[in-house]
Amino acid sequence: MMDHAHDLLCVQDATERLLTAVAKLDDASVATSSRLPGWSRGHVLAHLSRNADALVNVLAGRPMYIDAAARDADIERDAPRPLEAHLTDLRESAARFQEAAGVPGDWSRTVELRNGVTDSASRLPFRRWVEVELHHVDLGIGYELEDLPEEFTERETGFLADRFAGHPDVPPTRLTDGTRAWRTGRPGDAPETAVTGAPADLLGWLAGRRDGAALTVSGGTLPALPPL
């Protein structure tokens, strides 16, 4: 089982770094484009706030979102707000998540996320950590994949490798940063494609944040990964 208490501390630290960085922006820069297609920085910040509340719902046994349309509508509603409103919402929603996750409970229980996805409750703090770290990068305000904590990069690389493991459209693939190695893709007797690169480049490719051009590939071509 995941160490949810440790991960909650990591979420808190990542959230403070995010808040410190975002506080240096202004209303005009919040309204400009993020690195995510079709989303402004305000969209990213609104999503982070609503995601925290959605995970509170999951912890309480409620649906994560009413439905996909309501989720999208909430983000569109909140995206145009001024910086101070975003900062207040980020702080308060993060506090609600920390409070809900701090209540003793059965962390081994299975919970339901979006689209019928299930997971252990103990993994929810890590999932929130992923949201905060990767979307901090998505803001395009000077925080890059290379700046992510080493523990986070290693664990998220493993998580994404597991996510694509067994996928029929991904060939058998071995990933390595020169020190650690992971396997992903469909099982089979075909030779493995080997993908080697720096930790940030491997994670960026797996997470859909980089195109993989910085990676070295042998035994085939760089696999096309399905959408997350």
Side-chain angles (χ1 to χ4, degrees), residues 24-124:
K24 298 175 183 177
L25 303 178
D26 55 29
D27 290 346
S29 58
V30 167
T32 59
S33 297
S34 73
R35 291 172 170 171
L36 295 178
W39 270 18
S40 68
R41 288 172 177 148
H43 283 88
V44 175
L45 297 175
H47 165 64
L48 280 168
S49 294
R50 302 287 69 76
N51 172 263
D53 286 335
L55 291 176
V56 171
N57 288 337
V58 173
L59 285 167
R62 299 187 293 266
M64 188 170 184
Y65 297 99
I66 297 173
D67 53 37
R71 170 187 176 274
D72 294 345
D74 285 348
I75 294 170
E76 290 295 333
R77 177 199 65 208
D78 294 342
R81 297 177 301 181
L83 173 63
E84 283 304 316
H86 279 296
L87 286 169
T88 298
D89 198 7
L90 281 169
R91 289 192 195 96
E92 293 179 351
S93 60
R96 287 191 292 270
F97 173 72
Q98 289 285 338
E99 180 180 7
V103 175
D106 178 12
W107 286 96
S108 66
R109 72 189 187 278
T110 298
V111 294
E112 184 171 346
L113 302 165
R114 293 180 63 202
N115 303 321
V117 173
T118 59
D119 204 348
S120 167
S122 63
R123 197 186 289 272
L124 292 182

Side-chain angles (χ1 to χ4, degrees), residues 183-226:
R183 281 180 165 80
T184 194
R186 63 178 179 266
D189 298 328
E192 287 183 321
T193 299
V195 178
T196 304
D201 289 322
L202 280 175
L203 175 58
W205 172 63
L206 288 168
R209 265 69 178 183
R210 291 185 180 172
D211 63 8
L215 301 173
T216 300
V217 185
S218 60
T221 59
L222 187 67
L225 299 176

